[in-house]
Amino acid sequence: MLSNKNKLFLAKLWPVWLLLALPTLWLVFAYFGAEFAFVLVPLLFASAFYYRRHLKRQLAEMTQEISNSSRVHLATVEALATAIDARDQVGIGHVRRTQIYAVGIGRMLGLPEHKIDALRTGALLHDIGKLAVPDHILNKTSSLTEAEHEKVKIHAEVGASILEKVGFDYPVVPTVRYHHERWDGSGYPKGLKGKQIPLTARILSIADAFDTLRGERPYRPAMTREKARQTIQAEAGTKYDPMVVSTLIRHLTAFENELIAGGLAYTEADKNAPAVEKSHFVEQIKLANREVFSLYELAREFSSSAHPHDTLELFSAKVAEFVPFDTCAVYLLDSNKRSASAAHVSGANAEMISLHKIIVGQGATGFALKSRGTVRNVEPDLDFFHTQPDLTQIYKTMVSIPLIADEALIGAVTIYSSELESYGEEHIRLLDTISRIAADAVHKSLEHDEAKTHALTDPMTGLPNARSLQKQFGREVARANRAKSSFQMLMLDLDGFKAINDSFGHKAGDHLLKEISQVILGQLREYDFLARYGGDEFVALIPESVPEDVTELSKRIEAAVAAFELKIDDDRVAKVGVSLGSSSFGRFGGDFDEMIAAADKAMYLRKTLRKQTALPVAYPEAIEVPAKPLQDNLIVELDDTHILNLMSVN
C-alpha cells in the first residue's frame, strides 16, 4: 500500500505520464492505421482527463487530511501547554496570546517561515520544562529564596531537552532554551548577550513577559496595559532587545485586536484570562495544585507554630480556604476524656459556641468523638439541643471529623453551614485531609504547651516557679519603666515548717505547703504575681505600688497564715507562721538579684526579731509558731545602701 505522501507525489506527476504515452500512440498509429488511432486517441485523452480529476480530488482529500492532522496536533500541543501553565496558576489563554504576540512580531520583522513555525510552537511549549519544578515553588506567593530561584531556572534547559526528542525541522529547541537569556548577558541558562541570543528566543522572551505582566500571578496582581508597556520599555537594552521591544509597542494595538477576534482579550479586571467555569480542566488543575501548595504551606506553618491558640487559628483559616462554612469549631477533649470543650471557634456565633461543651456520645459531634468516625450532613441542632437551645434552627447542615494523632483521639473539628443544604464528597475529602495534618500539629502544640507549663510551674503547689518568676520580673521592670512607676517584691518564708516535717512527715508538709500557697494567693490581687521560690520560700511581685502599699498586705498575709490549720487526724492539726520582707524597684536596685537579696535580708531580720519576741507554745494537737506584734514600719539600716521595711501583724 502506498502512503499518503507517495500518493501525493505520484499525483503531481500526471503530465509526465501523458508525455511518456505519446511515443506509444505514434507506434499504434503507424502499425494499425489512422482508423484505429482515431478511436484510441479520444479514449486515451478521456481516460487522462478523468484520471486527472480523480487525482485532483484525491490530492484535495489528502491535503485536507494533512491539514486536519496538523490542526489536531497543534490543538493537542496547545491543550497540554495550557495544562502545564495551570500548574503555575496561569489561566487559560496565556500560551495562545504569547503565540499571537510572538508570531506577529516575527512577521513584522520579516522572519522566514521556518522561524515563524519555531515561534508558533515555541510559544506553546516554552514552559514545558516547569514539569521539573516543584508545585510549592511554582505556587509560592512570597519571594523565592535563592535556592528556589535556582530550581526554577532549570526549566529552560529541561524544556529544550524534552523538545529535542521530537525532532522538529525548524529551530524551536534554541527558541525555548534561550528565551530567558537577557540582552545584557545576565540571563540564563548560558548567559548569552545581545545578538548571541537567537532572534526567535529574544522575540519569545518579550511576548511571554508582556502577557505575563498583564495576567494575575500568585505573587502579584495583574498589571494594566499601560503599566505593562512601561515596564517592558524600561527594560529595553538591559533585559530585552530594544528593536524587538519597539516592534511590539508599535504594533501592540494590532496584536490586541487579533486577541479580541480570537476571544482572548483580557478582562476588565485585567485577569489572566476570561472567566472560566469551575468544571473547566484548567480550573481543575489550578485547584488541584493550589490544594497541594496549601497543604505544603499548612504543614510548614504548623511546624513553626508552637502555641495551641496559634495552631488552632491557622487550622481554622486553612479550612476556610477550601471548605465553605458559617462557623468552624475545634473541640478538644478535656482531661477526663468524657467531654470536649470548644478550644477555638471562628465565624458566626463564635462567642456563644466558644462556651460550648460536648459530652462524648451526645449530639452529632459527640457521636463523631465516640465512634472516631466522620459524621456528615446531619441535623446541626443535635449539638445544641441539650445545652444551648438558642443556637437551634440556625444551621442547615454540618460535618464533624475526629482529630486523631498517634492513634489517640484529641478532639474533633466541626463545621456548620446555614446556606448549604449538604456538604459534598469533595468538601469532606478536603476537610478530612486538612484535619489529618492539623491533628498532629495540634497534638504537638498541646504537648509543647504542657511541657512549657511544667518548665515554668512548681509541680507541688501549681504556682509559677523561680524561672517563671524571673521572666515575670522582666515584664514588671519593662512596665514600670514605661509608666515611670515602681513595684514591690515580697519575700515570704514559713516559720516552723521544719517542725511540721519532723513531727508529721514530709507528705503532711507537702500538703500544708500547697494549702498555704492558696491562702497567700487569697490575699493578693488578680494581677499580683506569686511564685514558689524554693523550699518553704515564696516571692510575690506587687505591680504599681510603693513600700507603704504592702504594709497592710503583709499584715493580712501574716494573719491569714497564722489562722490556717491543716487537720492531720482527729486530734492533731498543723499550723505555721510566715515572715515577710520587701524591697522596692529602683530604691534597692533595678535587677532581680539585687531586689531578691534586699527582700531576703528584710525577711530574715523580721524572722529574727520575731523569734526574739516569740512566746513558744506547744499544743499536743498542733504545732504553732505564735507571733507577737512589733512596732509598725520599723526601719532597720542594714548597710550603706539598703534600708528595709519591717512590718508587723498590727
Side-chain angles (χ1 to χ4, degrees):
M1 294 291 291
L2 292 175
S3 66
N4 286 340
K5 185 175 182 181
N6 291 332
K7 288 179 180 178
L8 187 59
F9 176 73
L10 292 174
K12 292 179 179 179
L13 294 179
W14 73 268
V16 177
W17 302 122
L18 187 58
L19 287 174
L20 291 175
L22 290 177
T24 304
L25 290 173
W26 182 81
L27 290 173
V28 170
F29 182 82
Y31 186 78
F32 291 101
E35 296 84 354
F36 184 77
F38 284 131
V39 175
L40 181 62
V41 169
L43 290 175
L44 181 62
F45 275 97
S47 299
F49 173 76
Y50 285 109
Y51 182 64
R52 182 186 177 188
R53 284 188 59 186
H54 171 72
L55 289 179
K56 188 176 181 179
R57 185 171 62 251
Q58 197 170 35
L59 177 61
E61 290 175 355
M62 286 187 289
T63 302
Q64 183 63 39
E65 185 179 343
I66 292 171
S67 176
N68 290 339
S69 178
S70 177
R71 180 181 55 79
V72 170
H73 290 164
L74 193 63
T76 302
V77 170
E78 182 183 338
L80 291 175
T82 302
I84 292 168
D85 273 347
R87 292 181 64 247
D88 200 9
Q89 299 303 300
V90 177
I92 187 170
H94 168 63
V95 293
R96 286 281 308 283
R97 284 193 296 270
T98 300
Q99 186 185 64
I100 288 172
Y101 290 133
V103 170
I105 294 171
R107 293 200 184 282
M108 294 300 171
L109 293 177
L111 267 61
E113 197 60 32
H114 72 286
K115 290 190 176 181
I116 296 295
D117 288 338
L119 287 171
R120 183 178 291 108
T121 305
L124 294 180
L125 296 172
H126 65 281
D127 278 338
I128 191 173
K130 285 186 176 179
L131 290 170
V133 181
D135 291 323
H136 68 86
I137 296 178
L138 291 178
N139 291 274
K140 191 174 182 180
T141 55
S142 57
S143 299
L144 297 181
T145 65
E146 185 176 345
E148 289 169 338
H149 187 59
E150 289 300 316
K151 186 66 176 176
V152 170
K153 284 182 178 181
I154 71 171
H155 83 277
E157 283 281 20
V158 171
S161 298
I162 293 172
L163 297 179
E164 282 177 338
K165 307 298 183 184
V166 179
F168 292 100
D169 55 3
Y170 42 86
V172 66
V173 172
T175 301
V176 170
R177 175 174 278 125
Y178 301 121
H179 79 283
H180 277 292
E181 298 288 359
R182 294 173 58 129
W183 185 253
D184 61 5
S186 62
Y188 62 88
K190 300 296 184 183
L192 301 182
K193 184 176 182 180
K195 293 186 178 180
Q196 294 176 334
I197 308 167
L199 179 55
T200 52
R202 284 179 265 154
I203 293 172
L204 177 58
S205 175
I206 292 173
D208 177 37
F210 185 79
D211 187 69
T212 299
L213 292 174
R214 293 284 276 122
E216 186 180 43
R217 292 295 184 271
Y219 48 86
R220 60 153 179 80
M223 285 188 186
T224 62
R225 179 187 192 271
E226 183 60 22
K227 180 64 175 175
R229 184 187 64 78
Q230 291 174 358
T231 301
I232 291 292
Q233 284 185 310
E235 294 178 322
T238 54
K239 189 171 183 179
Y240 306 117
D241 181 344
M243 176 192 66
V244 179
V245 171
S246 177
T247 304
L248 170 69
I249 300 304
R250 284 200 315 271
H251 301 282
L252 185 56
T253 300
F255 297 152
E256 289 175 336
N257 288 336
E258 190 174 348
L259 296 183
I260 294 171
L264 297 167
Y266 302 99
T267 64
E268 292 181 2
D270 281 322
K271 298 296 183 182
N272 189 51
V276 180
E277 293 183 3
K278 292 293 185 183
S279 59
H280 193 282
F281 78 91
V282 171
E283 286 301 306
Q284 293 297 315
I285 294 172
K286 288 172 67 176
L287 287 172
N289 283 278
R290 196 178 304 142
E291 177 184 336
V292 171
F293 176 72
S294 293
L295 295 179
Y296 164 81
E297 285 288 286
L298 181 66
R300 185 180 64 82
E301 291 173 19
F302 272 152
S303 67
S304 61
S305 177
H307 195 280
H309 174 76
D310 296 337
T311 304
L312 295 174
E313 189 171 30
L314 175 62
F315 178 24
S316 179
K318 288 299 180 182
V319 170
E321 288 185 19
F322 290 98
V323 186
F325 62 76
D326 289 290
T327 306
C328 176
V330 182
Y331 299 96
L332 296 181
L333 281 178
D334 299 330
S335 57
N336 58 21
K337 307 297 182 183
R338 293 191 295 271
S339 60
S341 300
H344 181 79
V345 184
S346 61
N349 307 305
E351 187 174 347
M352 291 180 65
I353 296 179
S354 64
L355 305 174
H356 191 45
K357 179 172 284 193
I358 296 287
I359 305 300
V360 175
Q362 187 178 93
T365 301
F367 184 78
L369 289 168
K370 184 176 181 179
S371 65
R372 295 167 63 109
T374 300
V375 173
R376 65 187 73 186
N377 297 323
V378 297
E379 177 57 59
D381 292 351
L382 294 171
D383 268 0
F384 310 115
F385 182 78
H386 295 286
T387 56
Q388 290 178 301
D390 291 343
L391 291 173
T392 58
Q393 305 301 313
I394 293 178
Y395 302 105
K396 291 182 178 179
T397 190
M398 62 169 286
V399 175
S400 184
I401 292 180
L403 299 175
I404 299 173
D406 294 334
E407 299 184 358
L409 180 69
I410 62 171
V413 56
T414 303
I415 55 174
Y416 305 93
S417 176
S418 22
E419 297 294 330
L420 297 177
E421 295 295 334
S422 63
Y423 281 101
E425 290 299 324
E426 187 69 3
H427 292 141
I428 295 168
R429 182 190 68 80
L430 288 168
L431 181 60
D432 181 66
T433 301
I434 298 170
S435 299
R436 289 177 186 276
I437 298 174
D440 289 332
V442 172
H443 184 56
K444 288 177 181 177
S445 67
L446 291 173
E447 287 183 333
H448 176 81
D449 194 57
E450 186 178 357
K452 184 177 178 181
T453 300
H454 288 164
L456 298 174
T457 303
D458 172 52
M460 181 184 299
T461 62
L463 294 177
N465 58 17
R467 182 181 177 188
S468 182
L469 172 65
Q470 294 193 47
K471 288 180 176 290
Q472 184 64 25
F473 178 83
R475 298 188 190 101
E476 295 299 342
V477 168
R479 191 189 346 253
N481 287 333
R482 285 196 306 270
K484 306 298 183 184
S485 62
S486 183
F487 65 89
Q488 305 300 304
M489 177 183 283
L490 284 181
M491 172 68 79
L492 305 90
D493 185 79
L494 300 185
D495 300 326
F497 183 71
K498 183 177 182 300
I500 299 294
N501 282 332
D502 293 342
S503 299
F504 303 124
H506 288 280
K507 187 174 181 180
D510 292 346
H511 191 186
L512 179 65
L513 204 62
K514 184 176 180 180
E515 295 297 327
I516 288 295
S517 69
Q518 296 303 308
V519 171
I520 298 171
L521 267 180
Q523 302 303 316
L524 300 177
R525 299 169 298 183
E526 288 185 3
Y527 51 87
D528 294 335
F529 185 86
L530 179 66
R532 184 187 179 195
Y533 191 59
D536 58 347
E537 291 183 327
F538 300 86
V539 173
L541 300 178
I542 314 300
E544 298 180 358
S545 60
V546 295
E548 291 74 17
D549 294 332
V550 297
T551 301
E552 184 62 32
L553 173 62
S554 298
K555 290 179 181 180
R556 293 202 315 271
I557 291 174
E558 286 185 338
V561 171
F564 178 77
E565 296 181 347
L566 176 67
K567 186 175 181 180
I568 304 298
D569 52 37
D570 291 341
D571 300 321
R572 298 179 301 171
V573 295
K575 298 180 65 178
V576 292
V578 64
S579 297
L580 296 91
S582 71
S583 61
S584 179
F585 174 69
R587 185 178 181 186
F588 300 118
D591 68 28
F592 182 80
D593 291 337
E594 287 178 334
M595 289 190 66
I596 279 286
D600 194 55
K601 287 181 180 179
M603 181 273 295
Y604 270 105
L605 184 56
R606 170 71 172 171
K607 186 183 289 285
T608 299
L609 293 175
R610 291 187 62 165
K611 286 181 179 178
Q612 291 175 352
T613 59
L615 300 175
V617 178
Y619 298 95
E621 72 279 8
I623 293 180
E624 183 181 18
V625 181
K628 185 176 180 180
L630 296 175
Q631 180 181 350
D632 286 293
N633 299 324
L634 176 66
I635 304 298
V636 180
E637 184 173 343
L638 297 177
D639 52 41
D640 293 336
T641 58
H642 294 101
I643 299 177
L644 305 176
N645 292 321
L646 302 178
M647 299 149 210
S648 72
V649 294
N650 290 337

